[in-house]
Amino acid sequence: MMEGMSYGRAPRARKVDFGLLLSYLFLVLYGWLNIYSAVYSEEHASILDFSQRYGLQFIWIMISFGVAIILLYIISPKNLAPLSPLFYLAMLVLLAAVIFLGKEVNGSRSWFFIGSFGFQPAEFSKITTALLLSFIMSRYGFSLSNRKDAVKAALVVLVPILLIVMEKETGSALVYLGLILVFYMEGLAGWVIVLGLSLIAMFVLTIALSPLTAIVCALSAACIIRFFLSRRLVWLLTAIPVIVLICYIPKLSALESLGFLKALKPQVWALILFVPHFILWVRDFLAKRDERGSGRLILSLMCAVAMVFSVNFIFTKVLQPHQRARIENLFGITEDLQGIGYNVHQSKIAIGSGGLVGKGFLNGTQTKYNFVPEQSTDFIFCTVGEEWGFVGSIVLLAVYIFLILRIIHLASRNQDSFSRIYGYCVASIFLMHVVINIGMTMGLLPVIGIPLPFLSYGGSGMMSFTILLFIFIRLDMERQNRDADLV
Amino acid sequence: MDKKVLLTAGIIIVAICLAARLFYLQIIDERYKVNANNNALLYQTKYPARGEIRDRNGNILVGNKTTYDIMVTPIDLREFDTVDFCLTFHIDIDNVRKKLKYYRENRRKIGYQTFTFIKQVPSEYYSHFAEKAYKFPGFYAISRTARVYPYNAGASLYGYINEADSAYLADNPEYRRGDYVGITGIERSYEDVLRGKKGYNIMVRDVHNRIRQSFRNGEMDVEAEPGKDLTASIDGSLQQYGERLMQNKVGSIVAIEPSTGEILAIVSAPGLTVEDLSNIRKEYGRLVMDPYKPMFNRAVMSAYPPGSVFKTVNALIAQQMGVINPETRFSCSRGFYYAGGKMGCHGHRSPLNLKESIMMSCNAYYANVFRAMMKNPDHQPISEAFDYWKEQVMKFGIGTKLGSDFPAELQGNLPSTKTYDKIHGKGRWNAFNILSLAIGQGEVGATPLQIANVAAIIANKGYYIIPHLIKDAPDSLRRAKYTEKHWVGVDKEHFDPVIEGMYLAVNAPPGAGGTSRRAYISDIEVCGKTGTAQNPHGRDNSVFMCFAPRENPKIAVCVYLENSGAGGTWAAPVASLIVEKYLKGEVERKDLEQYVEQANLKANVPVKRKK
């Protein structure tokens, strides 16, 4: 079909992606029911009591629906794309202003109050950041391998992170780190992600076990990967059992007489075995006799070891005392069920008590009487776990994963790079929120106070997540139209 | 590999991790299900009965009676007949209305909390309440025990119990608000033994926080473990008798069994009555304001100058030092004269040997003895001689806490060279400046407990066991502490002249010059020593210490009466009656008993009345 002919045709019926829309409606409704249950008391039994949180949340939901309809049928976000630098800058101003003008809530300065309604710029800046990032990266000639472009893109993400950290909303700032997935999808080398993940793993190993164990793990991982790269697999498969065996020989009770050997930890043995290998490897590499990829591997290993030694610094100097305490609590280094560990412990109890099918709507006992603080906001997942059980929780998790994967799928199909990149942004933001929040309530991750999208109580969150999602749905609608036009 | 596939795979792996954790928490791990119950269950505390205290003959000194605390859960309150309620408990209606109003106004803040509404309701009121409890929803009773004291004696040593205050709770995290704790006396020293262990009933709450029923028919309930009983070394009837003798007097009696260190009776007058103990919360203000300070346990806290009874200690130390022997004689012409002063003495024949000096309590003799100790060529200069002397005195338990199980015990006074350096200037004092120590005056202060302990040391010829109140402390640490012999470092033979002197003081024929004739009991060989200690506030204090019988002593006594004149006049007869009562069970000298009982020596005691 010729391009020009489409002008004369009546606009086609645009199609909203039903999968996304249904997931959205499900999450919003499910969230609202759970807020009702979490706050429920006999005194305020009506579900539309506007003095209570579920009543207010209802108002927010209605407003969000309105905004969603506007985004779907009235304003095209595509037309607004060129304005995204403007939105972005305006939001930066708000983010900075709130540090000085905002009201302190729970130790962070991230809220503006207009009357009794609070407004959290950090929630909305996710939208503007996503828009600007998509705008910049979709411009003609942009390439991540171009250093200037890469720095520009990184700055777009880092500036709001800096401001939000200054607001002491570290949790929200962490969400932005998820945008690295966008860079990955748009050309960033995979090993950067692997390196990032392994650095996190090093941090965890160092704190949870010991620095020595962490170094041994890093060394052995590097050696194993080296063998993989050089395809000397047989060698590897025989080497590993031998090494493990040698490491644990001193533990055998038969060697009573060699007490000094017994005193040595297996990790020390492993180190003794691995270090010479590593030195030989570096010598080979410097003599350019080694296989490809070794440089990166050695560099990563160096980074990992450096990480081990900087853990102490990060832990004592960079992290705030309460963050430190939360991490220590997570790894069971300190157990303080009455203090810092209280939330998570109560939360685990609530979720655990739900069992397979839960206690039923409004029948949770743990999420009432304030056993779990913040139960309608950051810890709303407890109510789900307790009242709807494993089944209800898995359904919720499945819907989230469906939503995220669906966005990635739709985005990747989009020819328009702005829409595609924006889709990746939305998916990674949702992913971070869901994983961090649910992981936190189940005691898998340290307590990081960020909301569960569409479920947690709060107007700012509900609005910003809705806008984030519906801009994408609209962009996707336009893709369908364009695809249809091309037929 | 396709990046989209990799990303999708990564997300699915993360999701599986989350799902696995969910599965673990909700399906596999039973721990959290039990815990969840803990939250929805209500633990009603069951309070243990405190251990009872019996005397050495098995009579109950401190027992228990059941009382009830009425608890209220304001959210469960419904309309009820307040007049009926008040009549049931015999309480004032205004107070009830005030509390109910408070609950109504603060119902949001209170939520599901429970409070104590009325404390220590006697069981007869409780049984009325139990019959009509259905009329008063929101109220329930929990049983507590309160102390009863069948013997009307010994209140000062039992001590009282009260609800733990905030300071105590902060130091002792195992206690909760509302728990009773021993504040003074035995109740405090043996708190760990007496308190017992709390138990609980587990009740199930429903989703509306209403208490439904007992959890699993009570199979998980824990019974309260009552506190352990204690046997006091006290002889209840002796204690009672001592308190009777001490009425209208100010001072103390301490009686110890020398061979074991067990305290047989310990009286501080005026002291607490058992009624005061039972109603300590009501009486506390009055007791604190009383000018005779009944809360102040003179027997273990008051540092009195021991007076002439201290001569026995100097006699023993001097013999051990080798500066005197039993036949050393010093002359006395109604006193001891030295450059710049005189220490007076009463008329008696002269010169005296050691045992006679004790018998007649010659001041000049001990001035000479003390000077000899200070000039002892083995320890010079005088500061060194003094330090050496002090060290020996402290072995007798003077100037140091004995370590009895009386929590309020004080150490008394014993001066150091520093004290005198301060008064006279370093190196500018000599034996005469501190001569009053020779006769137990001046800077030395001993508690009646310490004086009684000296009597026990003499009775034992050289050692004491730390005086204590409880015979059967369950822990080995305390058992070891209260069986260990503390030797005072004076050889056994040196005690003989002192004991002989003390024997003669009581038993020498009238006219021979014995100072303690009034302690004489025809069929018991009492050995005693009087003391008349100067008191800057009014008349002299009357002091007497003794032990009996002479062979194989069963009791050592110290009697200390404030402002009551010479030791022989009042303290000696009191001690003698105590000895007779303990050894014979009954006092035959009824006229002496009556004479002592009726004497009002309190009037001599100057008191400062508080405004």
Side-chain angles (χ1 to χ4, degrees):
Chain A
M1 183 177 286
M2 283 173 68
E3 189 82 48
M5 289 187 67
S6 62
Y7 284 111
R9 293 166 59 153
R12 284 171 165 275
R14 297 162 169 182
K15 263 175 72 189
V16 173
D17 185 82
F18 267 104
L20 293 184
L21 189 65
L22 282 179
S23 312
Y24 171 75
L25 290 174
F26 169 82
L27 291 171
V28 167
L29 180 71
Y30 202 48
W32 187 47
L33 287 178
N34 279 296
I35 292 169
Y36 176 65
S37 183
V39 184
Y40 173 79
S41 76
E42 280 174 289
E43 273 185 71
H44 305 275
S46 161
I47 200 162
L48 292 178
D49 184 331
F50 295 115
S51 70
Q52 296 296 308
R53 287 193 154 180
Y54 40 85
L56 288 171
Q57 185 75 353
F58 182 76
I59 296 175
W60 291 120
I61 292 172
M62 287 302 131
I63 294 175
S64 299
F65 283 177
V67 171
I69 290 168
I70 291 172
L71 285 170
L72 287 183
Y73 299 110
I74 299 172
I75 306 170
S76 168
K78 196 77 206 328
N79 299 337
L80 295 179
L83 291 178
S84 54
L86 213 62
F87 295 143
Y88 180 81
L89 282 177
M91 195 51 74
L92 284 192
V93 171
L94 281 180
L95 282 177
V98 81
I99 300 174
F100 304 103
L101 305 175
K103 198 177 165 201
E104 192 163 318
V105 176
N106 293 337
S108 67
R109 281 186 175 276
S110 60
W111 288 84
F112 280 124
F113 277 91
I114 305 157
S116 61
F117 285 100
F119 162 75
Q120 208 178 5
E123 288 295 333
F124 291 95
S125 82
K126 284 169 206 157
I127 307 167
T128 55
T129 307
L131 283 174
L132 184 64
L133 196 63
S134 319
F135 179 66
I136 287 179
M137 290 177 69
S138 63
R139 274 198 303 194
Y140 180 74
F142 178 92
S143 165
L144 271 179
S145 46
N146 178 334
R147 186 164 299 173
K148 226 168 144 188
D149 283 347
V151 168
K152 221 189 283 178
L155 276 180
V156 170
V157 179
L158 290 176
V159 173
I161 288 186
L162 188 72
L163 288 172
I164 293 169
V165 167
M166 282 165 74
E167 292 172 12
K168 300 219 173 72
E169 271 284 327
T170 324
S172 298
L174 275 177
V175 172
Y176 288 80
L177 294 182
L179 292 175
I180 197 161
L181 292 179
V182 178
F183 295 129
Y184 171 67
M185 295 301 284
E186 289 300 311
L188 187 71
W191 68 270
V192 179
I193 305 266
V194 174
L195 179 62
L197 289 177
S198 43
L199 288 186
I200 293 173
M202 291 317 293
F203 187 81
V204 170
L205 280 173
T206 310
I207 293 176
L209 300 169
S210 74
L212 189 62
T213 315
I215 291 174
V216 170
C217 287
L219 264 174
S220 45
C223 292
I224 289 168
I225 293 171
R226 184 190 175 205
F227 287 128
F228 259 116
L229 290 176
S230 60
R231 310 202 183 275
R232 278 183 276 178
L233 265 183
V234 183
W235 214 98
L236 177 74
L237 290 178
T238 48
I240 289 178
V242 170
I243 288 170
V244 171
L245 207 65
I246 293 172
C247 291
Y248 280 89
I249 277 179
K251 294 280 161 197
L252 296 178
S253 50
L255 290 173
E256 275 302 336
S257 54
L258 301 170
F260 69 98
L261 283 179
K262 242 183 140 177
L264 281 181
K265 287 179 182 166
Q267 292 97 311
V268 179
W269 278 105
L271 212 56
I272 292 171
L273 292 167
F274 274 117
V275 165
H277 172 90
F278 182 64
I279 292 169
L280 290 175
W281 183 8
V282 173
R283 198 199 58 194
D284 286 357
F285 174 69
L286 291 178
K288 301 204 188 305
R289 271 186 294 168
D290 204 50
E291 36 309 270
R292 280 188 62 238
S294 265
R296 261 180 224 160
L297 207 51
I298 290 174
L299 190 69
S300 306
L301 187 59
M302 302 275 197
C303 286
V305 173
M307 183 73 191
V308 170
F309 288 108
S310 51
V311 159
N312 195 35
F313 176 79
I314 295 174
F315 211 59
T316 55
K317 296 280 158 55
V318 179
L319 293 180
Q320 304 271 322
H322 70 276
Q323 294 164 339
R324 215 154 51 222
R326 285 169 177 181
I327 291 174
E328 282 177 346
N329 180 64
L330 178 70
F331 294 120
I333 295 167
T334 55
E335 183 153 305
D336 179 9
L337 296 184
Q338 297 302 316
I340 196 84
Y342 179 81
N343 268 21
V344 174
H345 185 67
Q346 292 298 336
S347 159
K348 283 199 266 186
I349 289 175
I351 295 171
S353 71
L356 182 64
V357 290
K359 297 177 185 168
F361 182 51
L362 296 184
N363 283 333
T365 51
Q366 303 306 306
T367 45
K368 298 201 169 53
Y369 318 128
N370 297 321
F371 286 127
V372 184
E374 302 288 335
Q375 52 191 271
S376 63
T377 54
D378 295 346
F379 280 89
I380 190 71
F381 189 71
C382 298
T383 311
V384 178
E386 187 186 14
E387 296 193 348
W388 304 85
F390 181 69
V391 174
S393 311
I394 282 293
V395 168
L396 179 67
L397 189 61
V399 171
Y400 273 125
I401 297 303
F402 169 78
L403 182 81
I404 291 164
L405 293 181
R406 178 84 186 151
I407 292 171
I408 292 173
H409 174 68
L410 292 177
S412 67
R413 284 205 335 211
N414 206 319
Q415 298 295 317
D416 175 48
S417 47
F418 177 84
S419 308
R420 183 183 71 240
I421 296 168
Y422 180 79
Y424 292 151
C425 288
V426 175
S428 44
I429 289 170
F430 282 166
L431 182 69
M432 288 302 274
H433 271 277
V434 170
V435 172
I436 291 178
N437 185 290
I438 295 182
M440 154 186 93
T441 52
M442 294 193 298
L444 277 179
L445 294 172
V447 175
I448 298 167
I450 57 171
L452 196 54
F454 309 119
L455 259 81
S456 288
Y457 168 78
S460 290
M462 179 54 81
M463 291 281 279
S464 64
F465 288 125
T466 303
I467 294 171
L468 211 52
L469 179 65
F470 277 85
I471 288 177
F472 177 73
I473 297 181
R474 171 69 184 255
L475 290 171
D476 182 61
M477 259 163 68
E478 286 170 5
R479 168 189 67 84
Q480 292 177 32
N481 290 333
R482 210 167 38 242
D483 291 354
D485 288 346
L486 291 173
V487 173
Chain B
M1 236 183 289
D2 187 356
K3 282 189 168 182
K4 186 179 150 195
V5 175
L6 268 181
L7 182 63
T8 307
I11 291 172
I12 287 171
I13 288 171
V14 170
I16 287 171
C17 288
L18 290 179
R21 176 69 174 175
L22 257 180
F23 188 76
Y24 176 73
L25 278 183
Q26 298 193 304
I27 311 291
I28 295 177
D29 198 342
E30 285 291 319
R31 204 159 34 126
Y32 290 107
K33 289 183 191 62
V34 177
N35 266 331
N37 281 328
N38 294 352
N39 275 350
L41 296 174
L42 178 70
Y43 286 68
Q44 286 179 344
T45 309
K46 283 197 269 194
Y47 290 94
R50 247 179 121 75
E52 295 183 330
I53 305 173
R54 291 159 198 278
D55 83 344
R56 62 192 297 117
N57 303 318
N59 306 312
I60 293 180
L61 297 174
V62 181
N64 290 314
K65 67 173 180 214
T66 308
T67 62
Y68 295 86
D69 279 3
I70 304 300
M71 311 298 285
V72 62
T73 311
I75 202 158
D76 293 338
L77 285 177
R78 300 288 173 264
E79 262 180 45
F80 66 96
D81 183 347
T82 39
V83 175
D84 188 11
F85 185 80
C86 293
L87 287 175
T88 309
F89 294 113
H90 300 78
I91 48 170
D92 183 29
I93 194 159
D94 288 337
N95 206 356
V96 171
R97 288 201 174 122
K98 222 188 292 169
K99 279 187 179 169
L100 293 176
K101 185 159 168 263
Y102 172 81
Y103 296 149
R104 208 164 31 246
E105 282 165 359
N106 295 284
R107 61 183 185 281
R108 285 197 174 247
K109 204 167 77 191
I110 289 168
Y112 297 100
Q113 291 179 70
T114 298
F115 302 102
T116 310
F117 198 76
I118 319 170
K119 279 179 184 162
Q120 303 215 336
V121 174
S123 44
E124 61 266 30
Y125 296 172
Y126 166 73
S127 56
H128 292 153
F129 168 75
E131 284 168 18
K132 47 191 171 185
Y134 70 93
K135 289 189 194 167
F136 309 119
F139 290 100
Y140 65 93
I142 54 172
S143 83
R144 304 291 301 256
T145 53
R147 286 308 212 183
V148 285
Y149 307 94
Y151 258 93
N152 187 12
S156 299
L157 50 119
Y158 311 145
Y160 62 91
I161 54 173
N162 208 343
E163 278 186 24
D165 60 14
S166 308
Y168 193 88
L169 293 173
D171 293 343
N172 300 277
E174 69 275 20
Y175 285 81
R176 294 279 170 274
R177 199 159 282 285
D179 288 359
Y180 282 98
V181 55
I183 309 288
T184 56
I186 298 175
E187 298 274 21
R188 173 161 161 197
S189 325
Y190 290 90
E191 169 68 17
D192 53 332
V193 182
L194 294 170
R195 67 184 284 219
K197 230 173 152 178
K198 284 184 284 187
Y200 47 80
N201 286 328
I202 311 176
M203 307 300 285
V204 179
R205 283 189 288 210
D206 68 0
V207 63
H208 305 296
N209 207 43
R210 283 183 297 239
I211 296 165
R212 278 292 178 225
Q213 74 272 338
S214 180
F215 178 62
R216 290 196 198 163
N217 290 324
E219 68 179 65
M220 309 272 284
D221 294 359
V222 172
E223 283 303 318
E225 217 174 273
K228 288 196 186 65
D229 295 349
L230 288 175
T231 305
S233 59
I234 296 295
D235 182 315
S237 52
L238 186 69
Q239 177 74 25
Q240 205 168 23
Y241 186 68
E243 290 184 16
R244 222 174 84 201
L245 295 180
M246 289 298 277
Q247 56 189 334
N248 291 319
K249 296 165 193 71
V250 176
S252 312
I253 302 175
V254 178
I256 301 176
E257 185 176 69
S259 57
T260 58
E262 289 170 7
I263 297 174
L264 302 170
I266 189 159
V267 182
S268 170
L272 299 176
T273 64
V274 292
E275 286 81 17
D276 294 337
L277 281 192
S278 313
N279 306 309
I280 191 73
R281 269 186 303 187
K282 221 187 294 165
E283 302 291 343
Y284 191 81
R286 179 183 64 75
L287 292 169
V288 169
M289 295 302 283
D290 189 324
Y292 289 105
K293 298 189 198 157
M295 303 273 273
F296 181 72
N297 195 326
R298 292 168 173 78
V300 291
M301 297 173 85
S302 206
Y304 293 116
S308 296
V309 298
F310 193 62
K311 288 172 183 167
T312 55
V313 175
N314 275 331
L316 291 166
I317 295 173
Q319 286 183 81
Q320 184 68 27
M321 279 187 192
V323 298
I324 57 166
N325 63 52
E327 282 315 310
T328 308
R329 284 168 191 269
F330 293 109
S331 66
C332 170
S333 46
R334 289 195 163 244
F336 175 76
Y337 299 85
Y338 56 95
K342 171 201 172 187
M343 177 185 277
C345 191
H346 56 101
H348 55 79
R349 64 190 159 79
S350 173
L352 300 176
N353 66 6
L354 179 55
K355 70 180 184 201
E356 289 162 345
S357 75
I358 299 260
M359 167 189 168
M360 298 186 208
S361 196
C362 174
N363 285 350
Y365 192 95
Y366 286 92
N368 280 303
V369 168
F370 192 69
R371 184 178 61 178
M373 287 194 285
M374 290 303 119
K375 299 227 158 135
N376 183 355
D378 298 345
H379 303 280
Q380 283 306 323
I382 184 163
S383 58
E384 209 165 290
F386 180 82
D387 283 340
Y388 183 73
W389 173 81
K390 182 184 173 181
E391 210 177 289
Q392 308 312 309
V393 173
M394 283 177 78
K395 286 186 188 162
F396 281 76
I398 290 173
T400 164
K401 267 192 204 183
L402 285 170
S404 77
D405 44 7
F406 231 97
E409 190 199 336
L410 294 182
Q411 61 176 18
N413 285 323
L414 196 58
S416 63
T417 49
K418 271 200 199 114
T419 320
Y420 294 114
D421 285 346
K422 217 186 238 168
I423 301 173
H424 306 287
K426 201 171 168 76
R428 301 183 59 187
W429 49 278
N430 57 39
F432 301 124
N433 294 118
I434 58 174
L435 200 58
S436 49
L437 296 177
I439 55 168
Q441 293 285 349
E443 289 80 8
V444 60
T447 62
L449 181 70
Q450 287 169 330
I451 299 174
N453 191 46
V454 168
I457 291 166
I458 299 172
N460 290 337
K461 296 191 179 178
Y463 71 89
Y464 69 93
I465 289 166
I466 298 174
H468 53 277
L469 285 167
I470 296 301
K471 281 166 76 93
D472 60 348
D475 55 320
S476 55
L477 211 70
R478 275 192 277 221
R479 266 206 307 278
K481 184 177 173 190
Y482 296 135
T483 48
E484 187 194 346
K485 286 180 179 175
H486 294 262
W487 293 91
V488 297
V490 174
D491 297 339
K492 214 168 175 182
E493 67 266 21
H494 299 322
F495 284 88
D496 295 332
V498 173
I499 291 172
E500 177 67 15
M502 285 172 73
Y503 175 77
L504 289 173
V506 180
N507 298 291
T515 49
S516 315
R517 277 294 301 172
R518 286 197 178 200
Y520 177 75
I521 309 170
S522 57
D523 49 359
I524 300 172
E525 293 191 320
V526 178
C527 303
K529 178 76 199 81
T530 53
T532 309
Q534 285 163 11
N535 185 334
H537 312 286
R539 288 177 65 182
D540 291 345
N541 292 339
S542 177
V543 197
F544 189 72
M545 78 175 191
C546 66
F547 62 87
R550 182 174 176 173
E551 299 307 325
N552 201 5
K554 289 272 174 264
I555 181 169
V557 184
C558 164
V559 176
Y560 205 108
L561 298 170
E562 291 181 23
N563 304 99
S564 305
T569 323
W570 287 110
V574 172
S576 148
L577 288 169
I578 291 288
V579 169
E580 184 179 0
K581 171 78 180 171
Y582 181 66
L583 293 180
K584 291 189 187 165
E586 217 38 65
V587 172
E588 287 155 14
R589 298 171 292 166
K590 291 291 176 199
D591 46 344
L592 181 67
E593 184 182 287
Q594 206 178 359
Y595 170 69
V596 168
E597 229 177 279
Q598 285 171 357
N600 185 346
L601 303 171
K602 204 174 172 182
N604 300 328
V605 179
V607 289
K608 275 181 244 153
R609 292 191 190 275
K610 288 181 193 167
K611 278 164 218 157

